[in-house]
Amino acid sequence: MIRLDQISLQHGRQILFVDAVAAIHRGEKVGLVGPNGAGKSTIFRLITREEIPDDGQVSIDRGVSIGYFSQDVGEMSGRPVVAEVMDGAGPVSQVAAELRALEHAMADPARADDMDEIVERYGEVQGRFEDLGGYALEARAREVLAGLGFSQEMMDNDVGRLSGGWKMRVALARILLMQPDAMLLDEPSNHLDIESLIWLENFLKTYEGALLMTSHDREFLNRIVKRVIEIDGGELTSYSGNYDFYEAQRAQSEAQAEAAYQRQQSKLAKEMRFIERFKAQAAKAAQVQSRVKQLDKIEKLEPPKRRSTLVFDFPACPRSGDDVVKIEHMSKRYGSKVIYDDLSLVIRRRERWCVMGVNGAGKSTLLKLVAGESEPDGGTIALGASVKLGYFAQHSMEVLQPEQTVLQTLEQSFPLASGGSLRALAGCFGFSGDDVDKTCRILSGGEKARLVLARILYERPNFLVLDEPTNHLDVATKDMLMCALDDYDGTMLFVSHDRRFLARLSNRVLELSPDGPIPYTGGYLEYVAASGHEAPGLR
């Protein structure tokens, strides 16, 4: 239903695609992968005609409706959240808008003279609205919004009062409610908590249209997509299967290409040795000429492209005392809302606690309290002996100096470190070569998160408090971070919606339930087995 035929496209000096070919078929669920800047979002813009290729063409079957969710949601304000979502539902939303306008007109005394005409038109529009299933539309919109974490109160409030992350959810809800023939979803898992992520996962599994999406959440891709299209070096390569299968197939292809290249290099070297050895001997002249001609005919293989792998070896941290944090009879409230009442908890050395809870349960609040960013209303929170704390929060990225470069940021944080060691640190977190001269102002969300994490981890804390550290990180950086933390010898308290991250790194779980905090011995997988659900609020 969607075909890209011999697509070529160049942005300035950057060549994005060269004779690229791909197709999306009806009902297919496809993951689009590739390194940052490879052109994933450009593919979406080509399909939606927001960009035109330099060569080749994009073909879409006649009558196919397309819904596109991007990270640029635009301005939203002036009407309730549920109305904003319903407005994206296609023709029925236009009829609903006219219906609302007519209702306002009927309530306007100044329009009394036109009332017969208004009432007659209202009856016509109401019939059309009913034929299009409009009366079920609001219920469906509220169901989608609830799945994405909105309370009924939020649904009825002005969309303009929402944060950027919540507006992203509104934009996503519009596309889901639209139920187009094909959905293009650019990082839909960003800004979602684990409950909303699992709801979206189940929604997309049952969605009958075609789906093309990007995501940095490996588990999310694994559970939904049945095919992967990779962008690499201007080409589009298709792999059957989910993300894990794609990675295995790609690794096998790379190994085969490397082996073929080495075999050819060995053969070429052998032939060249023969030619060099006997080129001056008249008796061997015919053989030498024959082999020279053979070499000229051989199609030389290009050296396989080697993907750079990010590796960060966590520096050994000093040992802390056995009791890292002791919370006794702690209480915290915001206005009339009680977040914690008489919470007691001891975190011991080398324990890795992940905190689970629905929106508003107090996950980030607990981390702020432990990190000293907020004070309890009652009780005590005490760090143990020799504890050196490193705290990552979403607002950490906001304190970066916009006009400082990546390297200047690290130099200011570590004035005694050598330039070489700081460049090596930057390289571990994906800032290689000229990337260290980028100013913080132009960094993406993922790049800012990587820079903040680099600063924190280089300081060798023995107690890490991490609030959604994998937000905005691509798959490669997540894998690097997980590998580094696997070998970390300290203690952790963290919140994450990435189930792979949770399963690999946690050995304790604290669930913030409506009945109070419930500690679980064992990590996330043991928590799922014991509780019967992947996240609180899901049964």
Side-chain angles (χ1 to χ4, degrees):
M1 65 192 300
I2 300 172
R3 289 172 298 282
L4 286 79
D5 298 321
Q6 303 295 318
I7 295 296
S8 294
L9 182 64
Q10 185 169 342
H11 286 172
R13 289 191 231 171
Q14 184 185 13
I15 297 174
L16 288 175
F17 304 109
V18 180
D19 295 333
V21 176
I24 312 297
H25 306 291
R26 290 187 181 274
E28 260 196 323
K29 294 179 171 60
V30 182
L32 183 63
V33 305
N36 287 336
K40 298 189 291 296
S41 296
T42 303
I43 289 287
F44 292 142
R45 291 195 294 272
L46 287 168
I47 294 173
T48 57
R49 315 292 193 194
E50 293 176 32
E51 279 199 54
I52 304 297
D54 298 330
D55 200 7
Q57 64 177 4
V58 178
S59 306
I60 301 171
D61 289 350
R62 183 171 297 181
V64 169
S65 60
I66 292 177
Y68 173 36
F69 168 76
S70 74
Q71 294 296 302
D72 182 12
V73 299
E75 288 298 317
M76 294 182 185
S77 64
R79 54 182 168 182
V81 168
V82 68
E84 184 72 33
V85 171
M86 291 169 62
D87 189 53
V92 68
S93 66
Q94 298 166 10
V95 178
E98 185 177 357
L99 204 60
R100 287 194 298 271
L102 290 167
E103 288 169 351
H104 285 302
M106 287 190 292
D108 185 357
R111 303 288 301 276
D113 294 343
D114 304 323
M115 198 54 64
D116 289 345
E117 184 181 336
I118 292 170
V119 170
E120 182 181 354
R121 178 59 183 165
Y122 184 82
E124 294 171 0
V125 175
Q126 191 176 41
R128 172 71 173 148
F129 188 65
E130 189 171 351
D131 291 342
L132 290 171
Y135 285 107
L137 184 65
E138 182 171 345
R140 283 172 45 218
R142 290 184 181 273
E143 181 183 350
V144 170
L145 285 167
L148 294 177
F150 288 82
S151 66
Q152 293 297 323
E153 182 182 4
M154 291 174 71
M155 294 179 203
D156 294 318
N157 283 338
D158 188 339
V159 67
R161 296 169 57 185
L162 298 177
S163 67
W166 283 100
K167 284 181 179 177
M168 286 279 191
R169 298 192 192 202
V170 172
L172 178 59
R174 284 169 61 103
I175 304 301
L176 300 182
L177 182 65
M178 178 183 173
Q179 291 273 1
D181 298 318
M183 268 196 241
L184 312 178
L185 303 182
D186 193 0
E187 295 292 349
S189 52
N190 278 1
H191 305 286
L192 296 184
D193 53 41
I194 191 169
E195 291 81 16
S196 301
L197 194 62
I198 293 169
W199 178 88
L200 177 60
E201 185 179 282
N202 292 327
F203 183 98
L204 294 177
K205 281 180 182 176
T206 59
Y207 167 60
E208 295 181 355
L211 172 67
L212 178 66
M213 71 171 182
T214 64
S215 177
H216 291 156
D217 190 314
R218 181 195 297 260
E219 187 65 23
F220 186 66
L221 285 171
N222 272 336
R223 296 190 184 196
I224 296 172
V225 305
K226 303 300 181 189
R227 185 159 69 92
V228 170
I229 295 176
E230 180 192 50
I231 305 175
D232 187 24
E235 298 179 350
L236 299 176
T237 306
S238 180
Y239 297 81
S240 296
N242 63 12
Y243 188 87
D244 282 349
F245 185 79
Y246 145 73
E247 274 207 323
Q249 287 290 100
R250 190 190 69 190
Q252 183 179 6
S253 297
E254 288 176 346
Q256 289 171 346
E258 178 67 30
Y261 176 74
Q262 293 299 337
R263 282 197 301 272
Q264 188 181 73
Q265 290 298 299
S266 177
K267 180 179 179 181
L268 293 175
K270 181 179 178 182
E271 294 297 313
M272 287 303 298
R273 285 195 299 271
F274 180 89
I275 292 168
E276 288 296 322
R277 182 178 177 185
F278 297 110
K279 65 182 180 181
Q281 295 183 22
K284 298 280 189 180
Q287 291 184 48
V288 168
Q289 287 303 313
S290 173
R291 296 203 181 193
V292 168
K293 289 178 181 178
Q294 287 178 4
L295 284 182
D296 289 339
K297 291 178 182 178
I298 292 176
E299 185 177 343
K300 307 295 190 298
L301 297 176
E302 293 289 329
K305 288 176 286 189
R306 293 175 175 81
R307 292 172 178 267
S308 58
T309 303
L310 300 176
V311 178
F312 177 72
D313 293 323
F314 208 106
C317 57
R319 192 185 191 282
S320 70
D322 288 337
D323 289 347
V324 175
V325 180
K326 186 174 286 187
I327 302 172
E328 294 184 312
H329 307 294
M330 188 267 287
S331 62
K332 182 69 177 178
R333 66 175 62 222
Y334 291 113
S336 60
K337 184 176 181 180
V338 176
I339 307 296
Y340 293 105
D341 183 25
D342 198 32
L343 170 65
S344 294
L345 178 72
V346 177
I347 298 176
R348 300 189 183 278
R349 190 173 75 88
R350 300 192 70 180
E351 289 181 340
R352 299 175 171 194
W353 286 84
C354 69
V355 185
M356 309 287 295
V358 298
N359 273 328
K363 302 186 294 293
S364 293
T365 299
L366 178 60
L367 270 57
K368 287 178 184 177
L369 289 163
V370 170
E373 296 283 311
S374 181
E375 293 294 325
D377 296 326
T380 60
I381 302 174
L383 297 183
S386 304
V387 170
K388 184 179 181 182
L389 186 144
Y391 176 46
F392 177 88
Q394 295 306 306
H395 69 77
S396 303
M397 296 182 286
E398 298 169 10
V399 302
L400 295 172
Q401 298 300 312
E403 300 309 318
Q404 281 191 340
T405 66
V406 169
L407 186 58
Q408 287 169 344
T409 300
L410 295 176
E411 287 172 341
Q412 185 183 57
S413 301
F414 311 109
L416 300 181
S418 69
S421 67
L422 293 183
R423 285 181 178 273
L425 172 66
C428 290
F429 283 83
F431 299 103
S432 57
D434 293 341
D435 287 343
V436 297
D437 296 321
K438 284 184 178 180
T439 60
C440 294
R441 177 175 48 81
I442 67 169
L443 296 182
S444 67
E447 288 172 323
K448 288 178 180 177
R450 296 203 308 260
L451 180 55
V452 171
L453 284 166
R455 288 200 309 184
I456 291 171
L457 300 184
Y458 194 67
E459 290 190 289
R460 302 170 59 232
N462 54 27
F463 179 38
L464 283 173
V465 179
L466 307 174
D467 192 358
E468 296 286 8
T470 59
N471 265 7
H472 306 293
L473 297 185
D474 59 27
V475 173
T477 311
K478 280 186 186 181
D479 287 346
M480 178 276 289
L481 182 60
M482 283 192 289
C483 287
L485 293 176
D486 247 352
D487 298 328
Y488 174 56
D489 200 37
T491 307
M492 289 172 58
L493 175 69
F494 65 94
V495 173
S496 177
H497 66 242
D498 189 296
R499 285 160 288 179
R500 184 179 171 88
F501 192 87
L502 290 168
R504 184 163 172 178
L505 295 176
S506 62
N507 58 26
R508 298 287 188 277
V509 175
L510 181 67
E511 179 182 333
L512 303 178
S513 77
D515 300 323
I518 305 172
Y520 287 82
T521 300
Y524 175 72
L525 295 179
E526 289 79 9
Y527 160 77
V528 173
S531 66
H533 51 256
E534 289 189 281
L538 297 175
R539 296 292 183 265

